[in-house]
Amino acid sequence: MTIQRPGLPENLPDPAVLWARWALVAVVEATTKAEESPRYRTGTWIDHEGLHLDDCGCTWWTYACLGDGRYVLYGEDESSDCKWYEPPVDMLAGGPDWLPYEELRDRLAGNELGCVYWYENGAWARAPYPEDLKDDGLDCGMSRFVERDQAHRLLDEYVGYGSPARELLMDHAERRRLTPELLAEHVSSLEGGAPDLPAMTRALRRAGLDAQV
């Protein structure tokens, strides 16, 4: 699946698939040190608010499951033209009443928001864009999870470059059958040693990728 520029709602996969791929990366990256650090967090992780991505540079994203089949995806990549367009694009136009408006408006006030997508009633949606808007950042931000081969590559440092374990773990994640035992067998730390299995297990269960949850 390819994301166009600017993104279209139909460019995004089923929200459960997007959740599983993103969450799998959050699981293999999880460490107790990162969980407990008082510093601003970067990388890929999951907490009580949802899934997060922050490269400490040009892109940050949040993806939350809000219940009743509702999801919201929002964030920014430097490629987004939405906030620079004149007049600025109203990224909340047409949004349902259950969106996290306080957070989104706070981001807008800080000039930190590049686009917002939401899912309900079986379909993704977003605000309308001007016809000449070139990009909203969705491609640069989300292709890493939307395109399966890119999602595989995000696992390379933890399971081995090109390892068949990438497909195995992703398949189990998408089927909600991922287990701590599989993680312990196939995942290593960035240094090549044993992973932080307690932290990965907490992330796994928080994400709901374990069939036992």
Side-chain angles (χ1 to χ4, degrees):
M1 179 179 289
T2 301
I3 297 179
Q4 295 174 255
R5 298 188 180 186
L8 297 172
E10 55 266 32
N11 294 156
L12 289 168
D14 182 275
V17 171
L18 180 60
W19 181 274
R21 293 176 183 174
W22 191 332
L24 176 57
V25 179
V27 168
V28 300
E29 286 190 14
T31 65
T32 302
K33 181 179 180 181
E35 287 177 340
E36 297 177 347
S37 174
R39 297 181 179 180
Y40 182 82
R41 193 164 180 178
T42 59
T44 308
W45 72 97
I46 185 167
D47 59 19
H48 68 281
E49 295 177 346
L51 289 162
H52 303 275
L53 165 67
D54 193 315
D55 71 353
C56 198
C58 65
T59 191
W60 70 268
W61 296 85
T62 292
Y63 183 37
C65 177
L66 301 179
D68 297 322
R70 296 168 172 171
Y71 293 80
V72 61
L73 169 67
Y74 59 94
E76 179 183 26
D77 184 88
E78 65 178 357
S79 62
S80 175
D81 297 324
C82 288
K83 68 183 180 182
W84 308 117
Y85 193 90
E86 290 295 337
V89 175
D90 181 0
M91 289 174 267
L92 305 182
D97 59 9
W98 49 264
L99 290 180
Y101 282 103
E102 183 176 355
E103 167 70 8
L104 295 173
R105 287 171 178 145
D106 184 61
R107 293 285 191 175
L108 282 170
N111 210 28
E112 299 177 279
L113 198 59
C115 65
V116 182
Y117 286 74
W118 56 86
Y119 184 94
E120 68 174 340
N121 300 323
W124 285 101
R126 61 156 168 77
Y129 293 162
E131 290 186 4
D132 61 344
L133 183 82
K134 294 185 176 6
D135 199 351
D136 67 352
L138 187 72
D139 181 26
C140 288
M142 287 293 106
S143 286
R144 71 194 75 199
F145 302 125
V146 169
E147 297 182 19
R148 192 177 177 89
D149 62 333
Q150 290 197 40
H152 278 161
R153 289 197 289 272
L154 295 174
L155 304 175
D156 278 340
E157 292 183 281
Y158 300 91
V159 302
Y161 288 88
S163 169
R166 303 181 309 175
E167 179 67 34
L168 174 70
L169 292 173
M170 190 166 292
D171 181 66
H172 279 72
E174 291 182 0
R175 294 173 182 269
R176 302 302 193 270
R177 295 177 180 173
L178 195 59
T179 64
E181 289 76 19
L182 270 175
L183 293 170
E185 181 179 356
H186 295 288
V187 178
S188 300
S189 69
L190 285 177
E191 295 76 26
D196 189 337
L197 190 58
M200 289 199 302
T201 301
R202 288 191 293 272
L204 169 68
R205 291 177 175 165
R206 191 173 291 125
L209 299 185
D210 189 340
Q212 299 178 43
V213 175

